[in-house]
Amino acid sequence: MVDISNAVGGYLHLVFIDKFNGWVVLGLVAQVLFTMRFVVQWLASERAGRSVVPFSFWSFSIGGGALLLLYAIKQQDPVYILGQLFSLFVYFRNVSFVLKERRANRASGGA
């Protein structure tokens, strides 16, 4: 049991202390931004009493996704690079739909 405890402690020290640098901070900030998209979506849905996706969801998605992409490029991780590239395309496409709808609503005098 002591060996397992020492191995886990050594691993945690390596990951969270020895390898801690500015890139890890960037990755953590990116992950917080990415997580915030779910928080704002959940709170907006709770307020509305139905499922809604506020514009801030897409803003946090783009911010977090872009920073995660930078982190993935630095880490040379092809899985996350490809995943974030595709995700960013989807996020920007959804923003374009939202903005197009807003322009159409303004043009028609709607809210």
Side-chain angles (χ1 to χ4, degrees):
M1 201 61 167
V2 171
D3 289 339
I4 292 172
S5 176
N6 287 338
V8 169
Y11 174 80
L12 293 175
H13 189 274
L14 172 70
V15 170
F16 290 100
I17 305 298
D18 292 343
K19 293 194 172 204
F20 194 83
N21 60 30
W23 284 103
V24 173
V25 172
L26 176 84
L28 291 171
V29 168
Q31 194 58 52
V32 167
L33 285 175
F34 202 69
T35 300
M36 284 304 299
R37 70 195 198 128
F38 294 113
V39 173
V40 299
Q41 191 274 330
W42 169 54
L43 292 173
S45 294
E46 287 292 335
R47 260 189 239 114
R50 62 183 178 82
S51 182
V52 297
V53 180
F55 189 79
S56 58
F57 176 89
W58 300 115
S59 300
F60 279 116
S61 295
I62 290 169
L67 290 178
L68 284 171
L69 176 60
L70 286 175
Y71 181 76
I73 290 169
K74 163 61 172 96
Q75 297 299 343
Q76 300 177 341
D77 188 322
V79 173
Y80 287 110
I81 291 170
L82 292 174
Q84 289 305 318
L85 278 173
F86 177 73
S87 296
L88 282 168
F89 169 77
V90 172
Y91 305 149
F92 278 110
R93 185 68 178 135
N94 276 286
V95 166
S96 73
F97 287 138
V98 170
L99 295 176
K100 180 180 175 182
E101 182 180 2
R102 286 181 179 180
R103 282 190 299 270
N105 285 342
R106 273 195 304 251
S108 68

